[in-house]
Amino acid sequence: MALAAALLVLLLATPAVYAVQYTVGDSSGWSTSGDYTTWVQGKTFNVGDTLLFTYDSSSHRVEEVTKSDYDNCNSGNSLKTYSGGNTVITLSSTGPMYFICPTTGHCALGMKLAINVVAASGNTPSTPSPSGSTTPSSGTTPSGSTPPSHGGAPSITNNGLMLGFSLVLGAVLAIMS
Ligand SMILES: [Cu+2]
């Protein structure tokens, strides 16, 4: 009993954030046969996730480059270079990241990867946010929205009248048609 309770507490206390390791290219790995434009589709890269590049270290490497070098397949001034065939890169900050293989011709063959890293969403279940967010911003209430509580009673009356008019109008139209 006590153990079960402890486990339950542990489960509840564990933040609902799980770092994900993405194997770049999945079964293709990091190679000239991968399609990394397609591979990134539908994936969300959060801060704290990792990229795993697996590749033949005799023919490929991984370079992190600027967007311009990514666009132009320019490997002359990489931000970081990785080799060895098994590279894990932790996504430590938000924003775009660009990777290419610096081996001649490989980037042009498609060994280029662009991702956008976003902040980890945190433990946000799909519950509505607390009441504070529903207050209209600084008096610029758009017309038609119900005013806050102090004007409540008149507005209900108005709505009732409007509803009444609508019903009458609808009835008249129905009769006329
Ligand atoms: Cu390569």
mmCIF file of all heavy atoms in Angstrom, residues 30-32 55-56 59-61 100-107 111, ligand 1:
data_model
loop_
_atom_site.group_PDB
_atom_site.id
_atom_site.type_symbol
_atom_site.label_atom_id
_atom_site.label_comp_id
_atom_site.label_asym_id
_atom_site.label_seq_id
_atom_site.Cartn_x
_atom_site.Cartn_y
_atom_site.Cartn_z
ATOM 1 N N TRP A 30 22.003 9.500 -41.460
ATOM 2 C CA TRP A 30 22.524 10.722 -42.092
ATOM 3 C C TRP A 30 23.332 10.286 -43.302
ATOM 4 O O TRP A 30 24.467 9.825 -43.171
ATOM 5 C CB TRP A 30 23.375 11.464 -41.067
ATOM 6 C CG TRP A 30 23.996 12.768 -41.441
ATOM 7 C CD1 TRP A 30 25.327 13.085 -41.368
ATOM 8 C CD2 TRP A 30 23.335 13.975 -41.858
ATOM 9 N NE1 TRP A 30 25.535 14.390 -41.734
ATOM 10 C CE2 TRP A 30 24.326 14.969 -42.040
ATOM 11 C CE3 TRP A 30 21.999 14.308 -42.105
ATOM 12 C CZ2 TRP A 30 24.030 16.261 -42.455
ATOM 13 C CZ3 TRP A 30 21.702 15.599 -42.506
ATOM 14 C CH2 TRP A 30 22.705 16.556 -42.685
ATOM 15 N N SER A 31 22.670 10.338 -44.460
ATOM 16 C CA SER A 31 23.307 9.797 -45.655
ATOM 17 C C SER A 31 22.750 10.518 -46.870
ATOM 18 O O SER A 31 21.770 11.273 -46.769
ATOM 19 C CB SER A 31 23.039 8.298 -45.790
ATOM 20 O OG SER A 31 21.680 8.074 -46.131
ATOM 21 N N THR A 32 23.321 10.245 -48.010
ATOM 22 C CA THR A 32 22.846 10.906 -49.223
ATOM 23 C C THR A 32 21.492 10.364 -49.669
ATOM 24 O O THR A 32 20.862 10.935 -50.555
ATOM 25 C CB THR A 32 23.859 10.740 -50.378
ATOM 26 O OG1 THR A 32 24.153 9.349 -50.519
ATOM 27 C CG2 THR A 32 25.135 11.504 -50.095
ATOM 28 N N TYR A 55 25.972 7.886 -39.021
ATOM 29 C CA TYR A 55 26.506 7.999 -40.374
ATOM 30 C C TYR A 55 27.816 7.240 -40.488
ATOM 31 O O TYR A 55 28.449 6.890 -39.481
ATOM 32 C CB TYR A 55 26.704 9.474 -40.755
ATOM 33 C CG TYR A 55 27.450 10.291 -39.718
ATOM 34 C CD1 TYR A 55 28.805 10.568 -39.872
ATOM 35 C CD2 TYR A 55 26.791 10.777 -38.587
ATOM 36 C CE1 TYR A 55 29.484 11.315 -38.919
ATOM 37 C CE2 TYR A 55 27.472 11.514 -37.633
ATOM 38 C CZ TYR A 55 28.813 11.787 -37.796
ATOM 39 O OH TYR A 55 29.482 12.500 -36.841
ATOM 40 N N ASP A 56 28.190 7.009 -41.706
ATOM 41 C CA ASP A 56 29.470 6.383 -42.015
ATOM 42 C C ASP A 56 30.547 7.465 -41.867
ATOM 43 O O ASP A 56 30.628 8.384 -42.677
ATOM 44 C CB ASP A 56 29.423 5.837 -43.453
ATOM 45 C CG ASP A 56 30.755 5.236 -43.873
ATOM 46 O OD1 ASP A 56 31.743 5.329 -43.099
ATOM 47 O OD2 ASP A 56 30.810 4.679 -44.986
ATOM 48 N N SER A 59 32.834 8.772 -44.716
ATOM 49 C CA SER A 59 32.400 9.605 -45.835
ATOM 50 C C SER A 59 31.549 10.807 -45.428
ATOM 51 O O SER A 59 31.338 11.695 -46.249
ATOM 52 C CB SER A 59 31.640 8.759 -46.864
ATOM 53 O OG SER A 59 30.680 7.970 -46.232
ATOM 54 N N HIS A 60 31.067 10.829 -44.195
ATOM 55 C CA HIS A 60 30.179 11.937 -43.815
ATOM 56 C C HIS A 60 30.629 12.571 -42.504
ATOM 57 O O HIS A 60 31.261 11.927 -41.672
ATOM 58 C CB HIS A 60 28.742 11.444 -43.624
ATOM 59 C CG HIS A 60 28.199 10.698 -44.801
ATOM 60 N ND1 HIS A 60 28.034 11.264 -46.041
ATOM 61 C CD2 HIS A 60 27.777 9.421 -44.915
ATOM 62 C CE1 HIS A 60 27.525 10.366 -46.872
ATOM 63 N NE2 HIS A 60 27.370 9.231 -46.211
ATOM 64 N N ARG A 61 30.237 13.795 -42.352
ATOM 65 C CA ARG A 61 30.361 14.487 -41.079
ATOM 66 C C ARG A 61 29.103 15.339 -40.904
ATOM 67 O O ARG A 61 28.221 15.373 -41.766
ATOM 68 C CB ARG A 61 31.606 15.383 -41.046
ATOM 69 C CG ARG A 61 32.887 14.616 -40.740
ATOM 70 C CD ARG A 61 34.068 15.543 -40.606
ATOM 71 N NE ARG A 61 34.404 16.161 -41.892
ATOM 72 C CZ ARG A 61 35.124 17.276 -42.029
ATOM 73 N NH1 ARG A 61 35.557 17.914 -40.946
ATOM 74 N NH2 ARG A 61 35.384 17.770 -43.207
ATOM 75 N N ILE A 100 24.548 20.591 -42.262
ATOM 76 C CA ILE A 100 24.857 20.045 -43.582
ATOM 77 C C ILE A 100 25.977 19.018 -43.424
ATOM 78 O O ILE A 100 26.671 18.987 -42.397
ATOM 79 C CB ILE A 100 25.305 21.128 -44.591
ATOM 80 C CG1 ILE A 100 26.629 21.766 -44.141
ATOM 81 C CG2 ILE A 100 24.230 22.183 -44.789
ATOM 82 C CD1 ILE A 100 27.252 22.672 -45.199
ATOM 83 N N CYS A 101 26.131 18.188 -44.444
ATOM 84 C CA CYS A 101 27.316 17.350 -44.524
ATOM 85 C C CYS A 101 28.339 18.098 -45.373
ATOM 86 O O CYS A 101 28.023 18.519 -46.489
ATOM 87 C CB CYS A 101 26.995 16.003 -45.165
ATOM 88 S SG CYS A 101 28.474 14.980 -45.381
ATOM 89 N N PRO A 102 29.554 18.280 -44.855
ATOM 90 C CA PRO A 102 30.535 19.082 -45.587
ATOM 91 C C PRO A 102 31.246 18.331 -46.707
ATOM 92 O O PRO A 102 31.983 18.949 -47.485
ATOM 93 C CB PRO A 102 31.537 19.467 -44.489
ATOM 94 C CG PRO A 102 31.473 18.338 -43.511
ATOM 95 C CD PRO A 102 30.041 17.866 -43.529
ATOM 96 N N THR A 103 31.028 17.037 -46.822
ATOM 97 C CA THR A 103 31.676 16.303 -47.900
ATOM 98 C C THR A 103 31.204 16.853 -49.249
ATOM 99 O O THR A 103 30.002 17.099 -49.431
ATOM 100 C CB THR A 103 31.345 14.800 -47.803
ATOM 101 O OG1 THR A 103 31.733 14.338 -46.520
ATOM 102 C CG2 THR A 103 32.072 14.008 -48.876
ATOM 103 N N THR A 104 32.145 17.034 -50.136
ATOM 104 C CA THR A 104 31.842 17.684 -51.419
ATOM 105 C C THR A 104 30.648 17.035 -52.116
ATOM 106 O O THR A 104 30.627 15.824 -52.330
ATOM 107 C CB THR A 104 33.072 17.610 -52.348
ATOM 108 O OG1 THR A 104 34.184 18.173 -51.652
ATOM 109 C CG2 THR A 104 32.815 18.382 -53.627
ATOM 110 N N GLY A 105 29.678 17.858 -52.415
ATOM 111 C CA GLY A 105 28.529 17.389 -53.175
ATOM 112 C C GLY A 105 27.406 16.803 -52.343
ATOM 113 O O GLY A 105 26.275 16.689 -52.820
ATOM 114 N N HIS A 106 27.678 16.441 -51.105
ATOM 115 C CA HIS A 106 26.645 15.753 -50.326
ATOM 116 C C HIS A 106 25.490 16.672 -49.930
ATOM 117 O O HIS A 106 24.339 16.252 -49.915
ATOM 118 C CB HIS A 106 27.267 15.109 -49.080
ATOM 119 C CG HIS A 106 28.049 13.875 -49.402
ATOM 120 N ND1 HIS A 106 28.458 12.978 -48.445
ATOM 121 C CD2 HIS A 106 28.493 13.398 -50.593
ATOM 122 C CE1 HIS A 106 29.128 11.986 -49.030
ATOM 123 N NE2 HIS A 106 29.172 12.233 -50.324
ATOM 124 N N CYS A 107 25.813 17.899 -49.608
ATOM 125 C CA CYS A 107 24.735 18.835 -49.255
ATOM 126 C C CYS A 107 23.802 19.024 -50.437
ATOM 127 O O CYS A 107 22.579 18.993 -50.296
ATOM 128 C CB CYS A 107 25.329 20.164 -48.811
ATOM 129 S SG CYS A 107 24.103 21.443 -48.471
ATOM 130 N N MET A 111 21.933 16.203 -48.189
ATOM 131 C CA MET A 111 22.353 16.053 -46.789
ATOM 132 C C MET A 111 22.381 17.418 -46.127
ATOM 133 O O MET A 111 23.430 17.987 -45.830
ATOM 134 C CB MET A 111 23.718 15.371 -46.691
ATOM 135 C CG MET A 111 23.668 13.898 -47.051
ATOM 136 S SD MET A 111 25.214 13.051 -46.726
ATOM 137 C CE MET A 111 25.147 12.903 -44.942
HETATM 138 CU CU CU B 1 27.962 13.225 -46.517
#
